[in-house]
Amino acid sequence: INATLGNATEMIISVFAIRKGLLRVVQVSLLGSVLSNQLLVTGCCFLFGGLYHSEQHFNPHIAAIDSSLLLMAVLGLTVPAAFSATEQMDCNVPCNANEIVAISHATAIMLFSLYLLLLFFQLKTHKHLMGHEKTLCEDDELEEEAEQASMTLGCAIGALCVTTILVAVCSEFLVNSLEEVSAKWGLSEVFIGLIMLPIIGNAAEHATAVTVAIKGKMDLALGVALGSSVQIALCVVPALCLIGWSMGKPLTLDFHPFETIILVVSVLVVNSTVMNGTSTWLDGVMLAVSYCIIGVAYFFRRETKIMGEITCVCGTECCIP
């Protein structure tokens, strides 16, 4: 639920961007959301939690499941890019952009189906694996559990609805101002889409994860951070691909090779960090530095026509429609 509410803003912003034809911006912002959650947010959870607790423990079974799902999602996002890249290498073979769109749609359906099966796994067949382990702040947790709810269910639902409407209105202004901000600040559109938009869109989610990590609730923190990355990769990205299909906008899963390599390596780095079920502040520093390295690379990366629908001459530069 935490991950879903946190990603609602990202979904709304992306839908408005798809309507305006900013397909490449949507691609890089979704990739940026995955990277920021699994590197920056997880790193901050380990770092700030480690400043209050010398060593924190979390359920290794849940972390292993999230890591495996991220690798599965990376496979689904890599196949369209690999298909496109291999066709580009042979100039004698004409590129058919419709094939890449079809592959993306089929992959999106399968990834979204996998996400539904994940929910069935978590909520029905293997609920016992989703239980949280005891934390170092058990007494604090008992006190928090004893506290009365400060808002009724009806008020909470109403507040969420009002907030969603305000986010939708703000998203429209945000998307319309992207080109102006890029020109005024001298920042590349790809940097805005990959670094700035995900941080802005997931700010509340980031704060929640770090706050609960400081309290020693690492299972919940990782559920928000890594769980959000899994939800974006298996649910939000496929859903937006299918939404673009319904709107007549060819949003594909064909990411650039540079982005695909970064995504694969970052997932492997996160997997090596969470595999033992413990974390320290140094683990957080390593993940945060990894994210900063990626941010520096994209600060200097330039792309043409990112603000519009990408069109290429097949067999020459790319196969993205």
Side-chain angles (χ1 to χ4, degrees):
I1 293 176
N2 270 316
T4 301
L5 295 177
N7 291 328
T9 305
E10 185 75 17
M11 176 74 80
I12 295 172
I13 293 175
S14 298
V15 170
F16 278 104
I18 291 175
R19 284 179 52 195
K20 291 183 64 68
L22 306 180
L23 304 183
R24 181 65 180 140
V25 171
V26 174
Q27 278 190 329
V28 296
S29 66
L30 292 175
L31 175 67
S33 293
V34 175
L35 293 175
S36 66
N37 278 295
Q38 69 178 3
L39 292 178
L40 181 61
V41 181
T42 305
C44 288
C45 290
F46 289 167
L47 173 59
F48 291 101
L51 295 179
Y52 289 85
H53 314 285
S54 61
E55 185 176 79
Q56 293 182 291
H57 300 268
F58 49 86
N59 192 330
H61 298 292
I62 300 178
I65 292 172
D66 287 339
S67 299
S68 299
L69 289 169
L70 282 174
L71 283 174
M72 178 64 200
V74 167
L75 173 64
L77 300 178
T78 302
V79 169
F83 181 88
S84 173
T86 52
E87 285 207 342
Q88 294 173 43
M89 296 175 62
D90 190 351
C91 296
N92 296 322
V93 177
C95 168
N96 188 352
N98 292 329
E99 293 179 352
I100 298 173
V101 175
I103 293 173
S104 297
H105 291 163
T107 304
I109 293 173
M110 287 184 280
L111 289 178
F112 191 79
S113 300
L114 178 60
Y115 180 73
L116 296 179
L117 293 175
L118 169 64
L119 294 181
F120 184 73
F121 176 87
Q122 291 178 330
L123 301 177
K124 186 68 176 177
T125 62
H126 289 72
K127 289 192 296 184
H128 59 282
L129 293 180
M130 301 297 114
H132 297 308
E133 296 179 344
K134 294 182 179 180
T135 65
L136 297 176
C137 299
E138 186 176 1
D139 294 337
D140 293 338
E141 290 182 22
L142 294 175
E143 291 179 3
E144 292 176 9
E145 290 176 358
E147 293 179 359
Q148 296 295 326
S150 59
M151 185 179 295
T152 64
L153 178 61
C155 292
I157 294 176
L160 286 175
C161 293
V162 173
T163 304
T164 302
I165 295 174
L166 293 176
V167 168
V169 174
C170 294
S171 299
E172 179 73 17
F173 291 112
L174 176 63
V175 172
N176 291 333
S177 63
L178 285 179
E179 295 185 13
E180 181 180 352
V181 170
S182 175
K184 184 176 180 179
W185 291 5
L187 299 174
S188 66
E189 295 87 351
V190 68
F191 180 80
I192 294 176
L194 190 110
I195 302 297
M196 297 183 65
L197 283 183
I199 293 178
I200 295 172
N202 297 320
E205 188 176 28
H206 297 179
T208 299
V210 173
T211 300
V212 297
I214 292 175
K215 295 179 180 180
K217 304 177 182 179
M218 285 305 299
D219 282 315
L220 180 57
L222 289 181
V224 176
L226 290 183
S228 179
S229 296
V230 171
Q231 189 178 71
I232 293 173
L234 293 181
C235 178
V236 177
V237 173
L240 289 174
C241 181
L242 299 177
I243 290 174
W245 187 11
S246 66
M247 297 171 62
K249 302 291 186 180
L251 178 65
T252 71
L253 303 181
D254 181 12
F255 294 88
H256 286 185
F258 179 62
E259 294 156 3
T260 305
I261 293 173
I262 285 179
L263 185 59
V264 172
V265 174
S266 65
V267 170
L268 294 177
V269 170
V270 173
N271 286 355
S272 66
T273 305
V274 302
M275 62 186 303
N276 59 358
T278 61
S279 66
T280 63
W281 64 264
L282 182 59
D283 296 320
V285 171
M286 289 188 293
L287 293 179
V289 169
S290 300
Y291 184 77
C292 292
I293 292 173
I294 295 173
V296 170
Y298 271 96
F299 180 79
F300 293 100
R301 182 173 172 81
R302 296 293 184 270
E303 292 185 10
T304 58
K305 295 185 178 180
I306 186 174
M307 286 299 178
E309 296 186 19
I310 302 176
T311 56
C312 305
V313 179
C314 290
T316 56
E317 296 181 358
C318 67
C319 294
I320 305 175

